[in-house]
Amino acid sequence: TVIADGHFLVDFDPMGSNDDFAPLQLSAGGGVIFLNSGAVESMRAGEQQVSVEDVSGIYLEGDVTATDGKYTVRSKAVYYDVQTNRALMVDALLRTYSRLTGSKPIYARASEMRQLSSDQWQAKQAIVSTSSFFVPQLAIGLERVTITRRPGPPEDPGDTSTWVSGKDLTVRAGGIPIFYWPEFSAEADAIPFRS
């Protein structure tokens, strides 16, 4: 393992390589990088760089920020499994953009958030809104939500869609629930609340 105390930055950019990994930048107040045994021996021998294939996991805590260019997550603590592209985040804030509005950000806050794959997220006790305020004026609350990006039909696989499935949905005004719906499952563009 590599343990870092103080400002910690991991920056991976696969430009020009044949890696299957996406660009990734992680920063935090401190962290631990878990390495395969071969990488540890190379570092003991004086090697200054580590290949991404030699990293099994990364644990970060203290004002954690993670981004891959499409999503930005802030959290108190994160464990990221590099090889399976899965992560667990505590007290997380996910920021992304709506396909419909383009430039308008969407914020999702959750007590626990998991990245199950590069195309699937799951959150518990989530609040989703277009406001960056901690208590947004208008938001949607969900006890549990799964967001999945699905590939398009075989004739146009690049035409992806976003599928949202949630339980115990509440519309909230200033943090107060004003409407309840037991379950929701549909394409994100089909959400009945337009603004």
Side-chain angles (χ1 to χ4, degrees):
T1 59
V2 176
I3 300 172
D5 190 19
H7 189 71
F8 185 82
L9 175 68
V10 175
D11 195 3
F12 174 71
D13 188 357
M15 299 264 307
S17 72
N18 293 324
D19 291 334
D20 291 331
F21 299 97
L24 179 66
Q25 187 175 71
L26 305 164
S27 66
V32 178
I33 299 177
F34 298 94
L35 301 172
N36 298 332
S37 60
V40 174
E41 294 305 318
S42 296
M43 289 184 77
R44 285 186 183 144
E47 183 66 36
Q48 296 290 317
Q49 294 186 348
V50 176
S51 172
V52 70
E53 286 87 5
D54 292 328
V55 178
S56 60
I58 301 171
Y59 171 76
L60 301 172
E61 67 179 29
D63 196 22
V64 180
T65 301
T67 185
D68 66 357
K70 293 183 281 188
Y71 301 103
T72 299
V73 178
R74 293 185 63 203
S75 179
K76 285 186 179 178
V78 171
Y79 177 75
Y80 179 62
D81 185 329
V82 175
Q83 301 302 320
T84 63
N85 196 24
R86 295 170 63 111
L88 173 62
M89 295 146 270
V90 179
D91 290 334
L93 170 64
L94 170 70
R95 179 181 159 184
T96 189
Y97 291 89
S98 167
R99 229 175 46 165
L100 294 174
T101 60
S103 63
K104 192 169 192 176
I106 296 173
Y107 299 91
R109 296 180 186 280
S111 63
E112 178 185 297
M113 192 175 293
R114 294 176 184 266
Q115 179 180 356
L116 304 176
S117 70
S118 61
D119 295 327
Q120 190 172 51
W121 293 79
Q122 190 175 75
K124 291 181 182 177
Q125 299 170 345
I127 304 287
V128 179
S129 75
T130 56
S131 170
S132 62
F133 290 118
F134 186 75
V135 179
Q137 188 175 13
L138 187 61
I140 297 174
L142 298 126
E143 182 59 32
R144 184 177 300 260
V145 62
T146 302
I147 301 168
T148 308
R149 187 172 53 211
R150 294 181 172 179
E155 59 272 4
D156 189 9
D159 183 26
T160 62
S161 64
T162 302
W163 191 263
V164 179
S165 178
K167 292 189 181 285
D168 296 327
L169 180 143
T170 56
V171 175
R172 298 174 181 215
I176 299 169
I178 58 173
F179 176 80
Y180 173 77
W181 196 260
E183 287 187 56
F184 175 80
S185 188
E187 195 170 332
D189 296 348
I191 292 176
F193 309 110
R194 291 292 177 198
S195 60

